[in-house]
């Protein structure tokens, strides 16, 4: 019983640490005065990166780019800024 309880306590501590880290990241992200975007690469069949998809943007992103986050998130840079 003791070992099982210790493992569960360790799991709880790790989850709490992750939650605190995520909150800290979110606060930093939301309060930056410069535009910031979380992007994921879009790969071609050959494995090369051909674009990036917006996963999240901070509030300053709207004021600096005039692009509405509700429209941007989920789209690629090429969709938002065609060449």
């Amino acid at each position: 019983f003791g070992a099982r309880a210790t493992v569960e306590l360790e799991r709880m501590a790790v989850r709490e640490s992750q939650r605190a880290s995520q909150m800290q990241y979110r606060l930093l992200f939301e309060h930056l005065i410069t535009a910031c975007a979380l992007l994921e690469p879009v790969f071609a069949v050959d494995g090369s990166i051909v674009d990036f998809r917006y996963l999240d943007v901070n509030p300053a992103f709207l004021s600096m780019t005039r692009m509405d986050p509700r429209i941007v998130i989920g789209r690629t840079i090429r969709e938002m800024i065609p060449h």
Side-chain angles (χ1 to χ4, degrees):
F1 177 75
R4 208 180 283 173
T6 300
V7 169
E8 186 56 33
L9 286 173
E10 288 174 358
R11 283 186 191 148
M12 289 172 58
V14 167
R15 276 183 256 162
E16 179 56 31
S17 176
Q18 289 172 333
R19 187 187 68 72
S21 178
Q22 288 170 346
M23 285 180 56
Q24 196 172 25
Y25 159 78
R26 178 54 59 186
L27 280 171
L28 174 64
F29 187 74
E30 294 291 330
H31 291 91
L32 283 172
I33 60 171
T34 57
C36 185
L38 178 62
L39 305 168
E40 74 175 345
V42 176
F43 296 95
V45 175
D46 67 1
S48 63
I49 296 174
V50 295
D51 206 345
F52 290 90
R53 184 172 315 285
Y54 291 97
L55 298 179
D56 200 1
V57 296
N58 70 342
F61 184 89
L62 171 62
S63 64
M64 295 184 102
T65 66
R66 302 289 186 238
M67 290 193 275
D68 187 336
R70 295 171 296 185
I71 296 170
V72 170
I73 294 173
R75 295 202 172 143
T76 65
I77 291 176
R78 289 185 180 192
E79 289 174 320
M80 297 307 301
I81 308 170
H83 293 225

